[in-house]
Amino acid sequence: MASLFQKEILELKGVGEKRSQLFIKLGAPTVGALLRLYPRDYEDWSNLVPLAQAPAEQVCVVRVTVVSAVSEQRIRSGMTLYKLRVTDGQHDALITYFNNRYIKELLVEGREYLLRGKVTGTLLRREMASPDFMPANRPLPLRPIYRQTAGLSSRQISSAVRSALGLLPNPLPDPLPDPLPEPMREACRLCGLRLALENIHFPKDREALEQARRRLIFEELLILQLGLLRMKSRGRQQTSLHMEVDATEEFFKSLPFIPTNAQKRAVAECMRDMQGESPMNRLLQGDVGSGKTAVAAALCHSAIASGMQAAFMAPTEILARQHFTTMSGLLEPFHLRVALLTGSIPAAKRREILEELQEGKIHLLVGTHAILNESVAFRRLGLVVTDEQHRFGVAQRAALTQKGDHPHILVMSATPIPRTLALMIYGDLELSVLNELPPGRQKTETYVIDSSKRARAFGFLRKKIDAGRQCYIICPLIEDSESDMASVTQYAKELQEKWFFANTVGVLHGKMRPAEKERAMEDFTAGRTDILVSTTVVEVGVDVPNAVVMLIENAERYGLSQLHQLRGRIGRGTEKSTCILVSDAQNEEAQKRLRVMCETTDGFRIADEDLRLRGPGDFFGARQHGLPELKIADMSADFALLQLAQGEAKELLTRDPAMELPEHRGLRAEVRQLFTSLE
Ligand code: ADP
Ligand code: MG
């Protein structure tokens, strides 16, 4: 059986040398892989109507017999019309095809077929132009539609799949049974592999398709969860990097503020990890402004005090610079060497940094992905902190452990995610949460207005600017617009000319070159621009305390969590800040969501609301979580199955941590395969 799945695609009947190359390109070099190329959709052939009752202008299916052989008629050069007559026993119809010379062999006189297409003409003269067809003796109620590649049609894929399915013995024998152990299948009410494969490709009916999907989705999610959990336990390798010195007290005393209880708790949790035998793998979740940087600094300080080096990685150049400044400031009392490494550091400077890093003279290296580069070697790297982890995938996390002797890893996220979800997406990490903001913060007021009040809102912005403050305006989203550049610049120009001619308006968007972005940010930080018109790129960690107003256009188009992120850019100073959500959305749902924004500034509550109101889509979707690509499951749509799979994965690993039992062999192989890209 194993050998059957491994059989090369070339060995399949009807697949020649050339076509096999195309299948390989499609990701199906073997019979097994071909069977796992699930259809992307299904065409419904189950709704049969008599010719006489075929609705106008609507695709329908008729069951007919060919009554006259195909006749050929050349209508102009290069155009041949093929005609045939069919009957459904009551009525006739004329069927036409253009330029399909195979039609003669495919539609044979006297045989019965299903035709799918639009029926036109009068009752006396029914016609169908180029209908799709299938033999009526083995009808498919739901015809699979496959993702095509150059040169391979959905129909060709379908026929290869059919011959592959034909090879499967029934029932599937050992030694490669269903990867899902039978007791698990029974407990979770999942059908067997054979039935699933047959019905995912050629469903007997809707219900059978649903059964098949459920099983295959579960399987995929289970494998994903097993992989993540295994990575977590693999993270428990030995490390030589025990944190010997706990210098957190000393560090806390050096701070210009008193750490919150949440900060102290998070630091203690991390320290406990780092004092152990195996490396820390922890996610620190904390709302914007909850003071994650200080937590990171405390840990870096202790790591350095224990004779190690630390690295701090940010997803963008802007953020790396910002963190460099902050970390340098926080660590200054201890006279430590902090260096910045990004893609734009000049070669000579870079060489110098690398050298000093290797000699151990640099204690903390702050930077972008550039830190991951092979040429960057530490003398004794003990701790890696990454900020805004959703930009770092599991693979990068794995790459990090290669640097040094399994350094401790802390990933920080300013995106509050409901705990249940966090545990699933970051199944390979432990979780710490900063659920408390430093005291004395002014709460940002949030208002929803419709566009008729925009002029007044702009007046409010002008007043703030006159008083020396700055504002963000998040520019309108233009549906289907590839270039946010066009929309931002256009919008900014209009603002400048119509509303803010006396002020300076800056622009920031994702398509700008890093140097341009930086200039725009610097101008804003230094107060040279009054208004920053931006796309959501300001979302990540930008810190300008003098900016006290944010106006967000088309607010209804964003998820709550994203709005929350955006809003986190203001309210960072001592002055009260105001967030204005502009929306003309009429529907109840949208208004309800925007009201949540006005009611609370608690990121975790907002995340919970977002999950409740919109489902987990926003958390899984837009956000790049860096998990392996899934074939059939959609973690947001299949949330209930995800939970089920996670439960099963945990239970399985409790019983059989190394997945060594014979009944787990199949699953282990699949886990290994899904995660190869990560190893
Ligand atoms: P984030 O979690 O969003 O990264 P930061 O680390 O940037 O938050 O902290 C936000 C601001 O709060 C910074 O100016 C920081 O100095 C300040 N801060 C952090 N912790 C405290 C605290 N315990 N008390 C007062 N201010 C704090
Ligand atoms: Mg931060």
Side-chain angles (χ1 to χ4, degrees), residues 287-289 291-293 312 319 322-323 387-388 412 414 541 569 572:
D287 216 339
V288 275
K292 292 183 292 297
T293 322
F312 193 134
L319 283 175
Q322 208 171 280
H323 280 314
D387 197 12
E388 300 301 338
M412 305 201 297
R569 296 309 109 220
R572 301 175 85 84

Side-chain angles (χ1 to χ4, degrees), residues 257-260 263 286-294 438-439 441 543 572:
F257 45 73
I258 299 165
T260 63
Q263 283 171 318
D287 216 339
V288 275
S290 58
K292 292 183 292 297
T293 322
R441 285 280 158 80
D543 190 11
R572 301 175 85 84

Side-chain angles (χ1 to χ4, degrees), residues 203-232:
K204 196 163 77 224
D205 50 36
R206 292 250 165 224
E207 200 189 316
L209 173 60
E210 213 24 68
Q211 283 293 323
R213 274 181 53 79
R214 186 169 178 277
R215 183 238 137 89
L216 294 172
I217 290 171
F218 174 90
E219 180 182 321
E220 186 165 50
L221 293 172
L222 177 74
I223 290 164
L224 175 70
Q225 292 298 317
L226 284 170
L228 287 173
L229 293 173
R230 294 254 291 162
M231 282 186 50
K232 187 175 191 165

